[in-house]
Amino acid sequence: MADTAPALMLAAPASGQGKSMVTAALARLHRNAGRRVRVFKHGPDYLDPMLQERASGAPVYQLHPWMTGEAECRWRLAAAAREADLVLVEGAMGVFDGAPSSADLAALAGLPVALVVDARAMAETFGAVVGGLAGHRADVRVAGVIANRVGSRGHAELLRRSLPEGVAWLGAVPSDAALEVPDRHLGLVQAGELEALDQRLDAAAAVLEQAGLGELPPAAPPPPAAAPAPPPRLLAGRRIAVAQDPAFAFVYRANLELLAAMGAEVVCFSPLAGAELPAADALWLPGGYPERHAAALAANAPLKAAIRAHHAAGRPILAECGGLMYCAEALVDGDGAAHEMLGLLPGRAVMGGRLAGLGLQSLALPEGELRGHTFHYSRLEGAAAPDAYARRRGGSAAEPLYRRGALTATYFHAYFPSAPRAVARLLGGPVKPDGRDGPSHPLAG
């Protein structure tokens, strides 16, 4: 293993080009060759990292210059490069889409970019598209291109000959069922729900190997970066129960690690299958797909009673997105059927046919500004007046936040490391804005 591994970003002209599965197949290909591979995902995404973790066999973290911070992006890449043979970063949307875009992350971290381009309906225009992307920004180096969903060897040769100078031809990947993953309204189907996923990943890796992608791609090591200071141990001695199952799976790995670094004992439980709630000082109900499991959640009466008792005892609950839906009086699924939920929050969570919230947001609390995002199709009907609002980056009010006793519920997904003291306060830690011990309301001014 080299002292510092090469790092490469895989990006695309747009969403839907197949970069997630190409990244996963590339990670599995090099893992199967005996190399240690680390994968990262640009942006606030829960589903792609699940796939990349299965493909690489290693933890996957989100990188986003605004949400996770520039220093954390540099540090995580540098740390991964010291322990791996290859570091891959999966981009988001189109390479120049968003602020910050995948290109912004590549420029920040000095990552060369390999484009994944769906070439099904292109011939020589392929070269014009690649050339336009390669020349769009001087601070972003497009090192190579992978032609995806190619029809034949002749088609691949047309594409290869169309490339501009300076952009390497990395390979032509044919259309193959092994490289297609189903999706639903929030993105890819969760990795744990895909049948025979490991066999599919091995088959996808074999397709890439036949396409000539078995050698390490052209890449460079990321620059060194210092590790961040450890967070304050504001949750020492506290036990935090986290819902984790197919209904509540949207959890940043960095969030769990921060809780542990702050001294908390983290225990997981399943609202779907578990009849008992672990003894805990606080609960975290994260996002996921409760609408797909609403009948089972409604039927688990013992666990619902235990969570209600936890709330009645004044112990904190943080409910994000799917967790908010679970805390409502009822959840109305996509078929219009209503299911009784916890009833800790007035109103009904109703699934809709269109996107109800999307984008980067932040939540200003006395202990710090939590950064994160929102992405949901349901809406809360009949809710009481919000206690606060998350804000869009332009400053306008966005997702409401509700307080009912020690319950904090919102559609906003928080990236915990962006404001550890705020997280500690939401989960009952003894911190005030000035750092002194003692109780204070999380939304106090």
Side-chain angles (χ1 to χ4, degrees):
M1 183 169 66
D3 290 339
T4 306
L8 179 74
M9 173 178 282
L10 284 93
S15 298
Q17 303 284 297
K19 67 179 178 296
S20 294
M21 198 59 199
V22 168
T23 303
L26 192 63
R28 179 56 70 102
L29 172 60
H30 289 285
R31 176 189 175 189
N32 287 350
R35 302 184 180 104
R36 187 169 182 183
V37 182
R38 290 291 308 277
V39 184
F40 293 90
K41 172 65 183 180
H42 173 250
D45 189 301
Y46 295 107
L47 294 164
D48 287 355
M50 296 179 189
L51 176 66
Q52 306 303 352
E53 287 201 356
R54 286 287 291 274
S56 66
V60 172
Y61 298 87
Q62 290 74 13
L63 301 177
H64 190 269
W66 182 80
M67 187 181 80
T68 70
E70 294 183 1
E72 182 170 326
C73 291
R74 294 189 183 99
W75 161 65
R76 287 201 183 276
L77 285 167
R82 288 194 300 269
E83 65 180 30
D85 298 297
L86 175 64
V87 177
L88 301 174
V89 179
E90 182 194 344
M93 303 182 294
V95 61
F96 299 109
D97 296 336
S101 65
S102 298
D104 291 328
L105 174 60
L108 169 73
L111 298 170
V113 175
L115 294 172
V116 178
V117 181
D118 184 345
R120 280 179 296 185
M122 282 193 285
E124 288 85 356
T125 302
F126 179 84
V129 171
V130 172
L133 294 171
H136 188 67
R137 276 178 54 172
D139 61 344
V140 176
R141 181 170 72 89
V142 174
V145 61
I146 298 170
N148 196 25
R149 299 165 181 157
V150 174
S152 65
R153 290 184 179 180
H155 183 204
E157 184 59 20
L158 278 175
L159 301 172
R160 188 189 65 79
R161 290 203 306 261
S162 73
L163 285 183
E165 291 185 9
V167 179
W169 172 258
L170 301 181
V173 179
S175 295
D176 194 291
L179 284 152
E180 301 299 328
V181 177
D183 59 15
R184 56 170 71 109
H185 58 280
L186 294 180
L188 297 180
V189 170
Q190 295 178 95
E193 299 178 63
L194 295 170
E195 293 185 9
L197 178 56
D198 287 308
Q199 292 90 328
R200 293 179 65 174
L201 287 166
D202 287 337
V207 172
L208 262 63
E209 185 171 30
Q210 293 169 6
L213 288 160
E215 299 298 321
L216 287 174
R233 292 181 61 81
L234 297 170
L235 296 174
R238 295 189 66 78
R239 201 166 194 248
I240 299 174
V242 182
Q244 282 279 264
D245 60 23
F248 300 98
F250 292 179
V251 174
Y252 293 129
R253 178 179 287 275
N255 283 11
L256 292 174
E257 292 180 357
L258 178 79
L259 296 180
M262 294 176 73
E265 178 190 357
V266 177
V267 293
C268 296
F269 71 101
S270 171
L272 284 177
E276 295 184 0
L277 180 68
D281 300 295
L283 301 184
W284 176 23
L285 304 174
Y289 288 113
E291 69 275 14
R292 294 181 53 81
H293 305 277
L297 292 171
N300 194 345
L303 187 65
K304 289 196 297 182
I307 295 177
R308 289 168 183 149
H310 175 100
H311 179 255
R315 292 191 289 269
I317 302 175
L318 175 60
E320 295 182 324
C321 200
L324 173 149
M325 296 164 70
Y326 187 39
C327 288
E329 295 171 328
L331 193 164
V332 180
D333 63 24
D335 296 324
H339 306 270
E340 181 189 90
M341 294 289 110
L342 291 170
L344 305 181
L345 189 66
R348 307 191 313 165
V350 181
M351 291 302 299
R354 64 175 64 183
L355 199 61
L358 173 67
L360 297 169
Q361 295 182 17
S362 62
L363 179 63
L365 297 174
E367 295 80 14
E369 180 189 63
L370 275 169
R371 293 187 171 187
H373 79 289
T374 183
F375 186 23
H376 60 98
Y377 278 74
S378 71
R379 61 190 183 277
L380 187 62
E381 294 184 348
D387 294 273
Y389 288 91
R391 298 278 171 177
R392 299 179 181 87
R393 294 185 65 188
S396 60
E399 294 294 354
L401 182 144
Y402 304 94
R403 288 283 302 182
R404 292 296 178 272
L407 167 68
T408 302
T410 178
Y411 274 110
F412 169 73
H413 294 274
Y415 186 73
F416 289 0
S418 63
R421 288 185 176 275
V423 172
R425 168 51 56 210
L426 291 172
L427 294 173
V431 58
K432 285 184 174 180
D434 59 9
R436 295 178 298 161
D437 289 348
S440 67
H441 193 288
L443 301 179

